[in-house]
Amino acid sequence: RALLRDFLWSLLFALPVVLLVSAGGGLFLARRAFRPVEKIVRSAEQITLHNLSGRLPVPHTGDELERLSLALNQMITRLDGAFQNNRRFLADASHELRTPLTVLRGELEAVMQQADGEPELQDRIGSVLEEVERLAKIVEGLFALSRLDAGEAQAEWKPFDLARLVATTADQMNLLAEDKGVTIICESSGEVNVQGDKGRMKQVIVNLLDNAIKYTPSGGRVKIRTSACEKTASLEIADTGVGIPATALPRVFERFFRVDKARSRAEGGAGIGLSIVKSIAAAHGGQVEVASEEGRGTQFRMQIPLMETSDENKGKPYAG
Ligand code: ADP
């Protein structure tokens, strides 16, 4: 009986210790076994449409995990190839379409001059010319998007004052606004120094301002404001126009999305202006957001990083 009691005591003490050690050992082994999986998950989370050149780490364990990561990497390589083909196709197609469209426009203008004195014929040529202009605008937009998608640094990357660019662009577009009876108000709190592609940034301002004027009825106002806060430069364009329905708001930056197809088409829009704005903002390391209330107005806000004073003169390519 004494022997049995001793045995019971030793069991009572030893059993929890054995259980603890085995649980700890199990946990340690499981963690070690899953470490490569964690690495793969972390890398996979970082691979996006814009960075398909990244690959998953391959653990050289000789087991299913190694085969799985190899297979996933091969899949990413195939996807990367397919996306690059798509981008190249878009770039080539839009590039090839530009020349014939320019020729077509020139020829139509010449025919229009020859048809002097035949108003009916001139009307018909005029409407064909309008369609050709619209087509040319879409092709230009697609060409710009394809270059942005490819992450190409088309023009030099240099420092400039965003507030000044906004003021001069708004000045140039004032005539368009006056024609529509819309007032442009430009507000600025001083210099907003950023670094980037000035030409493309001007396109952002033109596209946003053009939309604001287009979708604001006569008597309305368009307010443009630039500001610099900590490390961020902001550009805000707010109008008192027709607004965008809440259901359409999440989709306005999609390519070829138009809220009211008939109205937008009549205004010459194809639904790619805002997607260009979004791509340019992303290429500058920033983003655009929109807020709107139907019947009251729309506000667009673009935020990009302010220029870092230390690398003021350093050239920087597009982030893609
Ligand atoms: P579009 O060239 O057709 O104007 P965009 O990509 O510039 O294309 O805009 C997409 C859609 O978003 C437009 O069809 C329009 O309905 C809506 N939209 C854009 N800006 C405004 C605005 N300031 N006010 C109201 N609607 C707007």
Side-chain angles (χ1 to χ4, degrees):
R1 212 176 281 163
L3 198 71
L4 273 177
R5 205 182 313 120
D6 282 351
F7 185 59
L8 184 70
W9 278 116
S10 27
L11 258 189
L12 275 178
F13 280 112
L15 205 64
V17 176
V18 169
L19 274 178
L20 265 176
V21 169
S22 54
L27 197 70
F28 172 73
L29 285 179
R31 283 233 175 113
R32 235 177 90 134
F34 276 107
R35 210 170 293 149
V37 180
E38 257 175 43
K39 268 193 201 161
I40 293 174
V41 169
R42 241 176 284 133
S43 308
E45 279 169 354
Q46 262 147 37
I47 295 179
T48 64
L49 195 63
H50 299 288
N51 117 48
L52 271 175
S53 52
R55 294 290 175 272
L56 305 176
V58 180
H60 299 290
T61 44
D63 57 8
E64 279 74 16
L65 209 55
E66 183 175 344
R67 278 178 42 219
L68 177 70
S69 38
L70 280 173
L72 286 175
N73 274 345
Q74 281 162 6
M75 184 183 77
I76 298 169
T77 308
R78 286 195 298 274
L79 282 177
D80 192 17
F83 274 116
Q84 275 184 22
N85 269 348
N86 253 356
R87 282 181 191 148
R88 217 169 301 131
F89 172 74
L90 183 63
D92 290 348
S94 46
H95 184 70
E96 290 301 321
L97 283 171
R98 287 163 98 199
T99 321
L101 277 173
T102 314
V103 175
L104 207 59
R105 200 192 295 166
E107 290 290 327
L108 279 171
E109 276 163 1
V111 175
M112 180 85 125
Q113 275 175 3
Q114 279 169 14
D116 202 17
E118 291 178 69
E120 202 182 315
L121 187 60
Q122 273 191 329
D123 267 2
R124 290 173 80 173
I125 298 170
S127 70
V128 177
L129 245 173
E130 254 174 46
E131 287 302 309
V132 171
E133 296 278 357
R134 212 174 83 79
L135 206 57
K137 243 176 151 178
I138 297 174
V139 168
E140 278 306 322
L142 286 179
F143 187 63
L145 275 175
S146 70
R147 303 204 75 166
L148 284 162
D149 277 353
E152 264 179 55
Q154 196 198 13
E156 322 97 87
W157 194 270
K158 52 184 180 189
F160 63 92
D161 178 7
L162 182 66
R164 196 152 156 200
L165 182 67
V166 166
T168 49
T169 313
D171 214 33
Q172 287 160 2
M173 293 187 75
N174 210 16
L175 215 63
L176 187 73
E178 271 175 15
D179 274 354
K180 254 208 94 183
V182 174
T183 319
I184 297 184
I185 303 162
C186 215
E187 280 178 13
S188 165
S189 53
E191 278 186 10
V192 180
N193 291 314
V194 294
Q195 200 165 28
D197 185 331
K198 202 170 164 184
R200 292 231 190 264
M201 202 40 81
K202 185 174 171 128
Q203 199 174 358
V204 167
I205 305 162
V206 169
N207 285 7
L208 291 177
L209 210 50
D210 185 52
N211 274 348
I213 297 170
K214 209 156 62 175
Y215 299 109
T216 302
S218 176
R221 260 182 306 118
V222 176
K223 214 186 237 183
I224 318 167
R225 215 167 74 90
T226 45
S227 57
C229 178
E230 287 180 14
K231 289 184 169 178
T232 312
S234 297
L235 162 70
E236 284 168 32
I237 298 191
D239 62 57
T240 56
V242 292
I244 303 169
T247 47
L249 265 187
R251 298 193 59 201
V252 287
F253 293 106
E254 282 176 22
R255 290 173 191 188
F256 292 109
F257 177 79
R258 287 166 294 177
V259 177
D260 179 343
K261 287 198 170 48
R263 187 186 66 190
S264 175
R265 197 175 189 281
E267 300 270 9
I272 46 177
L274 287 181
S275 46
I276 291 178
V277 168
K278 189 179 168 192
S279 295
I280 295 176
H284 283 77
Q287 82 270 343
V288 233
E289 48 197 41
V290 57
S292 185
E293 210 178 312
E294 244 189 311
R296 302 204 61 176
T298 309
Q299 301 94 44
F300 281 94
R301 187 206 277 163
M302 181 194 69
Q303 289 187 311
I304 57 169
L306 273 174
M307 186 175 72
E308 283 176 28
T309 36
S310 54
D311 56 1
E312 211 166 300
N313 300 314
K314 220 198 271 176
K316 191 181 159 226
Y318 274 142

